[in-house]
Amino acid sequence: MEKELWSDRKRVVFFGLPLSFTKYRLTTNRLFVNTGFLTQREDEVRLYRITDVSLSRTLMQRIFGLSTIHCNSSDKTLGNFDIINIKDGEEVKELLSQSVERERIARRVSTRENMIDVSDDDDWN
């Protein structure tokens, strides 16, 4: 059974009020994005498919205590996506990052990163 770790709504930048129909929910294995009022859509991404997580805040978001988390993923339907205008962005990013790593280790998923030392290669000059 999946345990819910976090949930929130996309908030309006001014005053940080949750007046949107976009909801986010993080469980132990998946991240859900629910959007819409009349026509609702639920997207989910398995945590092991998320490859990178970053946090950004505009001036207005900082004033009202909001953040945007950008996620790079290999999910076919959702692809790269943003978790927009949420409260406690640093804590949520850290929780998401730890959950992703835990899930990737449990499923033995690895990412290959090519690292090139430019100073040793004459072709780069």
Side-chain angles (χ1 to χ4, degrees):
M1 185 72 181
E2 289 185 70
K3 178 182 168 189
E4 185 173 299
L5 303 175
W6 168 81
S7 65
D8 199 359
R9 288 177 167 253
K10 176 181 172 182
R11 295 169 181 270
V12 178
V13 174
F14 293 103
F15 307 113
L17 298 174
L19 300 174
S20 171
F21 295 106
T22 301
K23 298 176 191 170
Y24 305 106
R25 187 168 51 99
L26 176 65
T27 66
T28 52
N29 299 331
R30 299 179 286 181
L31 176 68
F32 297 91
V33 180
N34 295 305
T35 57
F37 175 65
L38 295 176
T39 302
Q40 293 184 339
R41 176 183 172 133
E42 179 177 89
D43 287 311
E44 77 175 61
V45 61
R46 302 241 173 224
L47 294 182
Y48 70 88
R49 293 187 185 273
I50 296 175
T51 57
D52 189 43
V53 179
S54 63
L55 179 98
S56 65
R57 286 183 281 172
T58 65
L59 177 61
M60 291 303 289
Q61 284 178 319
R62 288 193 321 246
I63 290 170
F64 293 107
L66 303 175
S67 303
T68 295
I69 299 174
H70 179 73
C71 298
N72 290 330
S73 80
S74 61
D75 189 68
K76 293 200 186 289
T77 54
L78 208 50
N80 298 338
F81 61 95
D82 291 328
I83 303 172
I84 303 169
N85 293 339
I86 57 167
K87 288 264 188 208
D88 304 319
E90 291 101 359
E91 291 86 8
V92 174
K93 178 190 166 283
E94 190 60 33
L95 177 65
L96 179 60
S97 187
Q98 290 173 359
S99 299
V100 165
E101 283 303 312
R102 194 174 317 113
E103 190 67 13
R104 290 177 74 81
I105 289 169
R107 293 187 180 269
R108 296 187 174 119
V109 176
S110 66
T111 304
R112 296 186 181 184
E113 297 180 16
N114 295 325
M115 300 182 79
I116 300 172
D117 187 1
V118 182
S119 63
D120 291 340
D121 195 355
D122 291 335
D123 295 338
W124 288 96
N125 294 330

